[in-house]
């Protein structure tokens, strides 16, 4: 019987940047399977292709060889705008928020970009902020007046604005202390275990690897 928990399959995926030498692959023959309800870590040294793999999974780059399937369907045959604006949420190491806008404005902007139809966007933003442990009083605070951990919470709330099933995080705790890292990990775990989302974290943190449900290793090619 088919495993209906599987949400994403990376099948024999290789990637070579257009300006790289002929045999210089950023990723080579990667096979990973991801299920809903679990948090994954993809572990690898600097330069092992972690960010490249997330670019392939998020449809920003296309596999040179192999394929990526979302819910059984090749990304090559999908409407990637819709995929990026509704199926996946992305969280970055450097938060990538707009610093002079408030926490709620950052979240609402993401709703607008994705074309989400919500009556009261500010109420929805507040609900998302609560979910990631941010106080109500932070809603109108400019992002540049929040700590790193608080900014990452806003970024996670933003990534959830259109309720994606798959959350991709590129070294999301790379700039944070261990205590804050654990708090952020608890949010990701709750999203997977309580809301059946699939969370994929690329990292080189042993602490992150110890906390997740499954770890995939990305070998260094060179
Ligand atoms: P990681 O995120 O694990 O540190 P990356 O995916 O950023 O690794 O990089 C993997 C390899 O691809 C490295 O050798 C890097 O130099 C190369 N690379 C990354 N981005 C580009 C790019 N835009 N153009 C060419 N080569 C790149
Ligand atoms: Mg990287």
């Amino acid at each position: 019987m088919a495993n209906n928990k599987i949400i994403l399959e990376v099948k024999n995926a290789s990637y070579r940047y257009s300006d790289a030498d002929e045999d210089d692959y950023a990723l080579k023959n990667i096979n990973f399977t991801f299920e809903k309800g679990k948090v994954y870590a993809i572990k690898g040294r600097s330069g092992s292709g972690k960010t490249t793999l997330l670019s392939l999974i998020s449809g920003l780059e296309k596999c040179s060889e192999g394929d990526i399937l979302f819910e059984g369907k090749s990304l090559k045959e999908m409407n990637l705008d819709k995929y990026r604006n509704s199926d996946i949420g992305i969280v970055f190491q450097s938060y990538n928020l707009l610093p002079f806008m408030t926490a709620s404005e950052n979240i609402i902007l993401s709703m607008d970009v994705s074309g989400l139809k919500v009556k009261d966007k500010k109420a929805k933003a507040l609900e998302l902020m609560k979910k990631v442990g941010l106080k109500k009083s932070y809603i109108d605070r400019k992002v540049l007046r929040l700590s790193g951990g608080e900014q990452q919470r806003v970024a996670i709330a933003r990534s959830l604005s259109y309720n994606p099933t798959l959350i991709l995080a590129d070294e999301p705790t790379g700039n944070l202390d261990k205590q804050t890292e654990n708090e952020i990990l608890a949010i990701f775990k709750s999203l997977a275990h309580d809301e059946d989302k699939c969370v994929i974290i690329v990292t080189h943190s042993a602490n992150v690897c110890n906390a997740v449900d499954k770890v995939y290793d990305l070998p260094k090619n060179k």
Side-chain angles (χ1 to χ4, degrees), residues 113-155:
V113 170
S114 72
L116 191 76
K117 294 200 174 36
V118 192
K119 259 204 195 125
D120 189 342
K121 289 180 182 164
K122 196 149 181 185
K124 170 85 180 164
L126 186 60
E127 178 196 315
L128 291 167
M129 286 177 62
K130 224 166 121 189
K131 183 182 274 197
V132 299
L134 284 167
K135 291 192 206 98
K136 195 176 170 186
S137 57
Y138 285 26
I139 194 157
D140 292 322
R141 193 174 291 187
K142 292 227 174 4
V143 159
L144 85 176
R145 292 186 49 223
L146 299 175
S147 73
E150 289 161 355
Q151 289 192 41
Q152 195 56 301
R153 287 174 201 265
V154 174

